mmCIF file of all heavy atoms in Angstrom:
data_model
loop_
_atom_site.group_PDB
_atom_site.id
_atom_site.type_symbol
_atom_site.label_atom_id
_atom_site.label_comp_id
_atom_site.label_asym_id
_atom_site.label_seq_id
_atom_site.Cartn_x
_atom_site.Cartn_y
_atom_site.Cartn_z
ATOM 1 N N ALA A 1 -98.049 252.781 -67.306
ATOM 2 C CA ALA A 1 -99.430 252.916 -67.716
ATOM 3 C C ALA A 1 -99.929 254.242 -67.130
ATOM 4 O O ALA A 1 -99.589 254.670 -66.072
ATOM 5 C CB ALA A 1 -100.186 251.731 -67.263
ATOM 6 N N PRO A 2 -100.999 254.793 -67.810
ATOM 7 C CA PRO A 2 -101.687 256.017 -67.149
ATOM 8 C C PRO A 2 -102.180 255.770 -65.888
ATOM 9 O O PRO A 2 -102.615 254.604 -65.484
ATOM 10 C CB PRO A 2 -102.753 256.363 -68.175
ATOM 11 C CG PRO A 2 -102.302 255.743 -69.428
ATOM 12 C CD PRO A 2 -101.592 254.412 -69.065
ATOM 13 N N ALA A 3 -102.282 256.756 -64.976
ATOM 14 C CA ALA A 3 -102.927 256.639 -63.701
ATOM 15 C C ALA A 3 -104.395 256.287 -63.905
ATOM 16 O O ALA A 3 -104.956 256.841 -64.863
ATOM 17 C CB ALA A 3 -102.754 257.805 -62.915
ATOM 18 N N ARG A 4 -104.985 255.560 -62.967
ATOM 19 C CA ARG A 4 -106.337 255.312 -63.079
ATOM 20 C C ARG A 4 -107.263 256.660 -62.809
ATOM 21 O O ARG A 4 -106.803 257.530 -62.303
ATOM 22 C CB ARG A 4 -106.765 254.157 -61.996
ATOM 23 C CG ARG A 4 -106.137 252.845 -62.362
ATOM 24 C CD ARG A 4 -106.504 251.902 -61.099
ATOM 25 N NE ARG A 4 -105.749 252.242 -60.046
ATOM 26 C CZ ARG A 4 -106.005 251.659 -58.815
ATOM 27 N NH1 ARG A 4 -106.913 250.739 -58.642
ATOM 28 N NH2 ARG A 4 -105.115 252.018 -57.865
ATOM 29 N N ALA A 5 -108.409 256.600 -63.380
ATOM 30 C CA ALA A 5 -109.333 257.737 -63.315
ATOM 31 C C ALA A 5 -109.513 258.186 -61.918
ATOM 32 O O ALA A 5 -109.742 257.323 -61.084
ATOM 33 C CB ALA A 5 -110.637 257.360 -63.888
ATOM 34 N N GLY A 6 -109.274 259.513 -61.655
ATOM 35 C CA GLY A 6 -109.427 260.043 -60.403
ATOM 36 C C GLY A 6 -108.232 259.825 -59.386
ATOM 37 O O GLY A 6 -108.277 260.123 -58.191
ATOM 38 N N ARG A 7 -107.146 259.365 -59.949
ATOM 39 C CA ARG A 7 -106.044 259.002 -59.104
ATOM 40 C C ARG A 7 -104.727 259.721 -59.652
ATOM 41 O O ARG A 7 -104.705 259.985 -60.835
ATOM 42 C CB ARG A 7 -105.781 257.510 -58.911
ATOM 43 C CG ARG A 7 -106.956 256.680 -58.394
ATOM 44 C CD ARG A 7 -106.656 255.318 -58.120
ATOM 45 N NE ARG A 7 -105.603 255.059 -57.149
ATOM 46 C CZ ARG A 7 -105.870 255.162 -55.793
ATOM 47 N NH1 ARG A 7 -107.152 255.334 -55.434
ATOM 48 N NH2 ARG A 7 -104.939 254.954 -54.946
ATOM 49 N N ARG A 8 -103.687 259.809 -58.782
ATOM 50 C CA ARG A 8 -102.484 260.257 -59.205
ATOM 51 C C ARG A 8 -101.391 259.204 -59.005
ATOM 52 O O ARG A 8 -101.580 258.123 -58.264
ATOM 53 C CB ARG A 8 -101.946 261.465 -58.354
ATOM 54 C CG ARG A 8 -103.020 262.522 -58.291
ATOM 55 C CD ARG A 8 -102.561 263.691 -57.294
ATOM 56 N NE ARG A 8 -101.542 264.591 -57.886
ATOM 57 C CZ ARG A 8 -101.143 265.640 -57.231
ATOM 58 N NH1 ARG A 8 -101.508 265.736 -55.929
ATOM 59 N NH2 ARG A 8 -100.193 266.402 -57.701
ATOM 60 N N LYS A 9 -100.270 259.221 -59.756
ATOM 61 C CA LYS A 9 -99.230 258.242 -59.768
ATOM 62 C C LYS A 9 -97.967 258.925 -59.440
ATOM 63 O O LYS A 9 -97.629 259.937 -59.969
ATOM 64 C CB LYS A 9 -99.236 257.535 -61.045
ATOM 65 C CG LYS A 9 -98.070 256.404 -60.941
ATOM 66 C CD LYS A 9 -98.051 255.690 -62.410
ATOM 67 C CE LYS A 9 -99.094 254.711 -62.493
ATOM 68 N NZ LYS A 9 -99.054 253.804 -63.782
ATOM 69 N N VAL A 10 -97.115 258.355 -58.558
ATOM 70 C CA VAL A 10 -95.846 258.730 -58.347
ATOM 71 C C VAL A 10 -94.811 257.656 -58.929
ATOM 72 O O VAL A 10 -94.784 256.518 -58.245
ATOM 73 C CB VAL A 10 -95.478 259.106 -56.920
ATOM 74 C CG1 VAL A 10 -93.992 259.359 -56.640
ATOM 75 C CG2 VAL A 10 -96.340 260.172 -56.445
ATOM 76 N N VAL A 11 -94.235 257.857 -59.982
ATOM 77 C CA VAL A 11 -93.186 256.758 -60.520
ATOM 78 C C VAL A 11 -91.858 256.969 -60.045
ATOM 79 O O VAL A 11 -91.280 258.113 -60.219
ATOM 80 C CB VAL A 11 -93.299 256.797 -62.115
ATOM 81 C CG1 VAL A 11 -92.411 255.749 -62.570
ATOM 82 C CG2 VAL A 11 -94.746 256.590 -62.612
ATOM 83 N N LEU A 12 -91.242 256.105 -59.396
ATOM 84 C CA LEU A 12 -89.898 256.099 -58.801
ATOM 85 C C LEU A 12 -89.022 255.437 -59.685
ATOM 86 O O LEU A 12 -89.152 254.161 -59.788
ATOM 87 C CB LEU A 12 -89.912 255.598 -57.336
ATOM 88 C CG LEU A 12 -90.865 256.194 -56.410
ATOM 89 C CD1 LEU A 12 -90.884 255.560 -55.136
ATOM 90 C CD2 LEU A 12 -90.653 257.700 -56.191
ATOM 91 N N ALA A 13 -88.119 256.022 -60.437
ATOM 92 C CA ALA A 13 -87.451 255.323 -61.425
ATOM 93 C C ALA A 13 -85.866 255.687 -61.390
ATOM 94 O O ALA A 13 -85.439 256.677 -60.874
ATOM 95 C CB ALA A 13 -87.903 255.882 -62.853
ATOM 96 N N THR A 14 -85.132 254.689 -61.914
ATOM 97 C CA THR A 14 -83.816 254.930 -62.312
ATOM 98 C C THR A 14 -83.664 255.633 -63.613
ATOM 99 O O THR A 14 -84.598 256.172 -64.197
ATOM 100 C CB THR A 14 -83.040 253.603 -62.379
ATOM 101 O OG1 THR A 14 -83.549 252.827 -63.356
ATOM 102 C CG2 THR A 14 -83.134 252.897 -61.042
ATOM 103 N N THR A 15 -82.431 255.549 -64.188
ATOM 104 C CA THR A 15 -82.180 256.178 -65.534
ATOM 105 C C THR A 15 -83.051 255.387 -66.598
ATOM 106 O O THR A 15 -83.089 255.923 -67.775
ATOM 107 C CB THR A 15 -80.697 256.229 -65.865
ATOM 108 O OG1 THR A 15 -80.231 254.842 -65.780
ATOM 109 C CG2 THR A 15 -79.884 257.153 -65.066
ATOM 110 N N ILE A 16 -83.635 254.320 -66.354
ATOM 111 C CA ILE A 16 -84.378 253.518 -67.211
ATOM 112 C C ILE A 16 -85.610 254.394 -67.816
ATOM 113 O O ILE A 16 -86.037 254.160 -69.055
ATOM 114 C CB ILE A 16 -85.064 252.341 -66.537
ATOM 115 C CG1 ILE A 16 -85.562 251.338 -67.535
ATOM 116 C CG2 ILE A 16 -86.111 252.813 -65.573
ATOM 117 C CD1 ILE A 16 -86.025 250.007 -66.949
ATOM 118 N N ALA A 17 -86.012 255.413 -67.137
ATOM 119 C CA ALA A 17 -87.030 256.308 -67.615
ATOM 120 C C ALA A 17 -86.653 257.630 -68.123
ATOM 121 O O ALA A 17 -87.401 258.506 -68.328
ATOM 122 C CB ALA A 17 -88.089 256.627 -66.498
ATOM 123 N N GLN A 18 -85.354 257.768 -68.386
ATOM 124 C CA GLN A 18 -84.662 259.039 -68.736
ATOM 125 C C GLN A 18 -84.893 259.395 -70.172
ATOM 126 O O GLN A 18 -85.065 260.618 -70.574
ATOM 127 C CB GLN A 18 -83.231 259.019 -68.500
ATOM 128 C CG GLN A 18 -82.538 260.379 -68.462
ATOM 129 C CD GLN A 18 -81.098 260.256 -67.973
ATOM 130 O OE1 GLN A 18 -80.847 259.981 -66.758
ATOM 131 N NE2 GLN A 18 -80.045 260.378 -68.784
ATOM 132 N N THR A 19 -85.116 258.254 -71.068
ATOM 133 C CA THR A 19 -85.271 258.726 -72.478
ATOM 134 C C THR A 19 -86.381 257.802 -73.143
ATOM 135 O O THR A 19 -86.558 256.695 -72.536
ATOM 136 C CB THR A 19 -83.889 258.430 -73.163
ATOM 137 O OG1 THR A 19 -83.495 257.030 -72.927
ATOM 138 C CG2 THR A 19 -82.907 259.378 -72.844
ATOM 139 N N SER A 20 -86.879 258.249 -74.105
ATOM 140 C CA SER A 20 -87.906 257.516 -74.965
ATOM 141 C C SER A 20 -89.060 256.985 -74.384
ATOM 142 O O SER A 20 -89.912 256.350 -75.022
ATOM 143 C CB SER A 20 -87.038 256.281 -75.567
ATOM 144 O OG SER A 20 -85.948 256.705 -76.231
ATOM 145 N N LEU A 21 -89.442 257.353 -73.136
ATOM 146 C CA LEU A 21 -90.646 256.941 -72.545
ATOM 147 C C LEU A 21 -91.610 258.030 -72.268
ATOM 148 O O LEU A 21 -91.194 259.142 -71.816
ATOM 149 C CB LEU A 21 -90.387 256.216 -71.226
ATOM 150 C CG LEU A 21 -89.611 254.842 -71.220
ATOM 151 C CD1 LEU A 21 -89.549 254.353 -69.779
ATOM 152 C CD2 LEU A 21 -90.527 253.835 -71.946
ATOM 153 N N THR A 22 -92.798 257.856 -72.664
ATOM 154 C CA THR A 22 -93.845 258.851 -72.359
ATOM 155 C C THR A 22 -94.894 258.175 -71.361
ATOM 156 O O THR A 22 -95.443 257.162 -71.755
ATOM 157 C CB THR A 22 -94.605 259.204 -73.533
ATOM 158 O OG1 THR A 22 -93.695 259.947 -74.559
ATOM 159 C CG2 THR A 22 -95.713 260.184 -73.270
ATOM 160 N N ILE A 23 -94.863 258.723 -70.174
ATOM 161 C CA ILE A 23 -95.909 258.122 -69.215
ATOM 162 C C ILE A 23 -97.012 259.144 -69.141
ATOM 163 O O ILE A 23 -96.830 260.320 -68.637
ATOM 164 C CB ILE A 23 -95.174 257.984 -67.881
ATOM 165 C CG1 ILE A 23 -93.893 257.115 -67.921
ATOM 166 C CG2 ILE A 23 -96.206 257.374 -66.852
ATOM 167 C CD1 ILE A 23 -93.085 256.964 -66.739
ATOM 168 N N GLU A 24 -98.187 258.742 -69.577
ATOM 169 C CA GLU A 24 -99.344 259.705 -69.585
ATOM 170 C C GLU A 24 -99.640 260.277 -68.289
ATOM 171 O O GLU A 24 -99.499 259.619 -67.202
ATOM 172 C CB GLU A 24 -100.561 258.885 -70.132
ATOM 173 C CG GLU A 24 -100.372 258.389 -71.593
ATOM 174 C CD GLU A 24 -100.308 259.601 -72.495
ATOM 175 O OE1 GLU A 24 -100.813 260.697 -72.283
ATOM 176 O OE2 GLU A 24 -99.651 259.428 -73.625
ATOM 177 N N GLY A 25 -99.929 261.558 -68.161
ATOM 178 C CA GLY A 25 -100.297 262.244 -66.985
ATOM 179 C C GLY A 25 -99.063 262.759 -66.107
ATOM 180 O O GLY A 25 -99.285 263.516 -65.243
ATOM 181 N N ILE A 26 -97.948 262.486 -66.432
ATOM 182 C CA ILE A 26 -96.776 263.013 -65.816
ATOM 183 C C ILE A 26 -96.499 264.438 -66.154
ATOM 184 O O ILE A 26 -96.303 264.797 -67.363
ATOM 185 C CB ILE A 26 -95.504 262.166 -66.127
ATOM 186 C CG1 ILE A 26 -95.576 260.801 -65.574
ATOM 187 C CG2 ILE A 26 -94.199 262.908 -65.523
ATOM 188 C CD1 ILE A 26 -95.519 260.669 -64.171
ATOM 189 N N ARG A 27 -96.546 265.320 -65.154
ATOM 190 C CA ARG A 27 -96.324 266.733 -65.443
ATOM 191 C C ARG A 27 -95.300 267.336 -64.337
ATOM 192 O O ARG A 27 -95.036 268.412 -64.249
ATOM 193 C CB ARG A 27 -97.430 267.586 -65.525
ATOM 194 C CG ARG A 27 -98.366 267.662 -64.330
ATOM 195 C CD ARG A 27 -99.474 268.728 -64.539
ATOM 196 N NE ARG A 27 -98.903 270.046 -64.817
ATOM 197 C CZ ARG A 27 -98.514 270.932 -63.877
ATOM 198 N NH1 ARG A 27 -98.598 270.457 -62.565
ATOM 199 N NH2 ARG A 27 -98.085 272.009 -64.157
ATOM 200 N N ILE A 28 -94.908 266.360 -63.454
ATOM 201 C CA ILE A 28 -93.980 266.752 -62.308
ATOM 202 C C ILE A 28 -92.745 265.858 -62.429
ATOM 203 O O ILE A 28 -92.879 264.587 -62.516
ATOM 204 C CB ILE A 28 -94.643 266.564 -60.895
ATOM 205 C CG1 ILE A 28 -95.850 267.549 -60.891
ATOM 206 C CG2 ILE A 28 -93.626 266.896 -59.887
ATOM 207 C CD1 ILE A 28 -96.714 267.055 -59.572
ATOM 208 N N VAL A 29 -91.609 266.363 -62.462
ATOM 209 C CA VAL A 29 -90.378 265.592 -62.429
ATOM 210 C C VAL A 29 -89.571 266.083 -61.045
ATOM 211 O O VAL A 29 -89.493 267.278 -60.892
ATOM 212 C CB VAL A 29 -89.466 265.777 -63.595
ATOM 213 C CG1 VAL A 29 -88.094 265.248 -63.327
ATOM 214 C CG2 VAL A 29 -89.983 265.050 -64.744
ATOM 215 N N VAL A 30 -89.157 265.085 -60.327
ATOM 216 C CA VAL A 30 -88.207 265.408 -59.174
ATOM 217 C C VAL A 30 -86.923 264.649 -59.512
ATOM 218 O O VAL A 30 -86.857 263.495 -59.573
ATOM 219 C CB VAL A 30 -88.815 264.902 -57.861
ATOM 220 C CG1 VAL A 30 -87.857 265.114 -56.710
ATOM 221 C CG2 VAL A 30 -90.114 265.721 -57.548
ATOM 222 N N ASP A 31 -85.887 265.452 -59.664
ATOM 223 C CA ASP A 31 -84.628 264.882 -60.107
ATOM 224 C C ASP A 31 -83.564 264.985 -58.967
ATOM 225 O O ASP A 31 -83.181 266.126 -58.535
ATOM 226 C CB ASP A 31 -84.055 265.653 -61.342
ATOM 227 C CG ASP A 31 -82.824 265.084 -61.898
ATOM 228 O OD1 ASP A 31 -82.276 264.079 -61.468
ATOM 229 O OD2 ASP A 31 -82.343 265.727 -62.856
ATOM 230 N N SER A 32 -83.181 263.766 -58.486
ATOM 231 C CA SER A 32 -82.117 263.739 -57.538
ATOM 232 C C SER A 32 -80.822 264.286 -58.003
ATOM 233 O O SER A 32 -79.839 264.540 -57.081
ATOM 234 C CB SER A 32 -81.943 262.343 -56.922
ATOM 235 O OG SER A 32 -81.426 261.493 -57.871
ATOM 236 N N GLY A 33 -80.577 264.166 -59.272
ATOM 237 C CA GLY A 33 -79.272 264.619 -59.862
ATOM 238 C C GLY A 33 -78.122 263.612 -59.721
ATOM 239 O O GLY A 33 -77.032 263.811 -59.991
ATOM 240 N N LEU A 34 -78.673 262.335 -59.403
ATOM 241 C CA LEU A 34 -77.747 261.189 -59.313
ATOM 242 C C LEU A 34 -78.074 259.997 -60.199
ATOM 243 O O LEU A 34 -79.139 259.870 -60.520
ATOM 244 C CB LEU A 34 -77.720 260.738 -57.806
ATOM 245 C CG LEU A 34 -77.341 261.801 -56.744
ATOM 246 C CD1 LEU A 34 -77.655 261.168 -55.324
ATOM 247 C CD2 LEU A 34 -75.874 262.258 -56.784
ATOM 248 N N ALA A 35 -77.135 259.267 -60.524
ATOM 249 C CA ALA A 35 -77.236 257.947 -61.177
ATOM 250 C C ALA A 35 -76.239 256.996 -60.806
ATOM 251 O O ALA A 35 -75.178 257.310 -60.331
ATOM 252 C CB ALA A 35 -77.055 258.209 -62.729
ATOM 253 N N ARG A 36 -76.577 255.694 -60.945
ATOM 254 C CA ARG A 36 -75.709 254.630 -60.604
ATOM 255 C C ARG A 36 -75.103 254.134 -61.889
ATOM 256 O O ARG A 36 -75.872 253.635 -62.784
ATOM 257 C CB ARG A 36 -76.350 253.511 -59.748
ATOM 258 C CG ARG A 36 -75.416 252.540 -59.168
ATOM 259 C CD ARG A 36 -75.994 251.919 -57.895
ATOM 260 N NE ARG A 36 -76.063 252.939 -56.846
ATOM 261 C CZ ARG A 36 -77.174 253.044 -55.924
ATOM 262 N NH1 ARG A 36 -78.089 252.155 -55.980
ATOM 263 N NH2 ARG A 36 -77.208 254.024 -54.989
ATOM 264 N N VAL A 37 -73.740 254.234 -61.968
ATOM 265 C CA VAL A 37 -73.181 253.850 -63.271
ATOM 266 C C VAL A 37 -72.134 252.785 -63.088
ATOM 267 O O VAL A 37 -71.479 252.659 -62.032
ATOM 268 C CB VAL A 37 -72.495 255.091 -63.957
ATOM 269 C CG1 VAL A 37 -73.449 256.128 -64.289
ATOM 270 C CG2 VAL A 37 -71.418 255.596 -62.968
ATOM 271 N N PRO A 38 -72.006 251.753 -64.066
ATOM 272 C CA PRO A 38 -70.933 250.774 -63.961
ATOM 273 C C PRO A 38 -69.608 251.394 -64.152
ATOM 274 O O PRO A 38 -69.234 252.210 -65.012
ATOM 275 C CB PRO A 38 -71.353 249.846 -65.215
ATOM 276 C CG PRO A 38 -72.024 250.688 -66.160
ATOM 277 C CD PRO A 38 -72.679 251.749 -65.382
ATOM 278 N N VAL A 39 -68.612 250.951 -63.334
ATOM 279 C CA VAL A 39 -67.303 251.436 -63.342
ATOM 280 C C VAL A 39 -66.351 250.183 -63.487
ATOM 281 O O VAL A 39 -66.372 249.391 -62.550
ATOM 282 C CB VAL A 39 -66.897 252.319 -62.218
ATOM 283 C CG1 VAL A 39 -65.429 252.699 -62.213
ATOM 284 C CG2 VAL A 39 -67.810 253.448 -62.103
ATOM 285 N N TYR A 40 -65.595 250.132 -64.468
ATOM 286 C CA TYR A 40 -64.733 248.980 -64.664
ATOM 287 C C TYR A 40 -63.414 249.184 -63.970
ATOM 288 O O TYR A 40 -62.770 250.300 -64.167
ATOM 289 C CB TYR A 40 -64.402 248.640 -66.145
ATOM 290 C CG TYR A 40 -63.492 247.509 -66.319
ATOM 291 C CD1 TYR A 40 -63.851 246.231 -65.986
ATOM 292 C CD2 TYR A 40 -62.309 247.705 -67.013
ATOM 293 C CE1 TYR A 40 -63.063 245.137 -66.318
ATOM 294 C CE2 TYR A 40 -61.426 246.676 -67.326
ATOM 295 C CZ TYR A 40 -61.806 245.340 -66.868
ATOM 296 O OH TYR A 40 -60.972 244.346 -67.116
ATOM 297 N N GLU A 41 -62.939 248.241 -63.149
ATOM 298 C CA GLU A 41 -61.701 248.275 -62.484
ATOM 299 C C GLU A 41 -60.732 247.305 -63.079
ATOM 300 O O GLU A 41 -60.857 246.150 -62.973
ATOM 301 C CB GLU A 41 -61.838 248.111 -60.999
ATOM 302 C CG GLU A 41 -62.682 249.187 -60.276
ATOM 303 C CD GLU A 41 -62.725 248.918 -58.751
ATOM 304 O OE1 GLU A 41 -62.548 247.893 -58.326
ATOM 305 O OE2 GLU A 41 -62.919 250.021 -58.028
ATOM 306 N N ALA A 42 -59.708 247.839 -63.779
ATOM 307 C CA ALA A 42 -58.810 246.964 -64.466
ATOM 308 C C ALA A 42 -57.994 246.201 -63.532
ATOM 309 O O ALA A 42 -57.677 244.869 -63.766
ATOM 310 C CB ALA A 42 -57.768 247.817 -65.381
ATOM 311 N N ALA A 43 -57.732 246.578 -62.300
ATOM 312 C CA ALA A 43 -56.848 245.895 -61.431
ATOM 313 C C ALA A 43 -57.606 244.517 -60.945
ATOM 314 O O ALA A 43 -56.807 243.561 -60.721
ATOM 315 C CB ALA A 43 -56.613 246.742 -60.164
ATOM 316 N N THR A 44 -58.900 244.513 -60.837
ATOM 317 C CA THR A 44 -59.688 243.356 -60.464
ATOM 318 C C THR A 44 -60.431 242.692 -61.574
ATOM 319 O O THR A 44 -60.863 241.624 -61.303
ATOM 320 C CB THR A 44 -60.617 243.674 -59.412
ATOM 321 O OG1 THR A 44 -61.524 244.678 -59.826
ATOM 322 C CG2 THR A 44 -59.968 244.389 -58.065
ATOM 323 N N ALA A 45 -60.392 243.332 -62.715
ATOM 324 C CA ALA A 45 -61.133 242.857 -63.865
ATOM 325 C C ALA A 45 -62.553 242.669 -63.555
ATOM 326 O O ALA A 45 -63.336 241.836 -64.125
ATOM 327 C CB ALA A 45 -60.525 241.580 -64.306
ATOM 328 N N LEU A 46 -63.122 243.605 -62.609
ATOM 329 C CA LEU A 46 -64.541 243.505 -62.275
ATOM 330 C C LEU A 46 -65.134 244.908 -62.501
ATOM 331 O O LEU A 46 -64.521 245.895 -62.590
ATOM 332 C CB LEU A 46 -64.668 243.147 -60.789
ATOM 333 C CG LEU A 46 -64.302 241.786 -60.436
ATOM 334 C CD1 LEU A 46 -64.226 241.619 -58.848
ATOM 335 C CD2 LEU A 46 -65.043 240.580 -61.084
ATOM 336 N N THR A 47 -66.414 244.810 -62.878
ATOM 337 C CA THR A 47 -67.231 246.031 -63.004
ATOM 338 C C THR A 47 -68.077 246.255 -61.628
ATOM 339 O O THR A 47 -68.891 245.282 -61.432
ATOM 340 C CB THR A 47 -68.091 246.022 -64.207
ATOM 341 O OG1 THR A 47 -67.272 245.896 -65.397
ATOM 342 C CG2 THR A 47 -68.990 247.286 -64.403
#
């Protein structure tokens, strides 16, 4: 949601906010350059 009148917002997000979302008032992006991704290991049959 947009920041309230007279206030600023810092949204701390995962890749969930990487696409298709418009957050009103956002004009600064700080990108860590990292993401947490699922990796499937066949030896254990676990992700």
Side-chain angles (χ1 to χ4, degrees):
R4 291 174 290 169
R7 301 186 66 81
R8 308 173 80 178
K9 176 182 283 189
V10 177
V11 180
L12 306 175
T14 60
T15 53
I16 195 173
Q18 193 166 293
T19 56
S20 302
L21 286 178
T22 295
I23 305 175
E24 295 295 331
I26 295 291
R27 62 171 305 276
I28 302 168
V29 164
V30 176
D31 185 3
S32 69
L34 301 172
R36 194 151 291 144
V37 297
V39 177
Y40 178 65
E41 293 185 334
T44 61
L46 295 174
T47 299

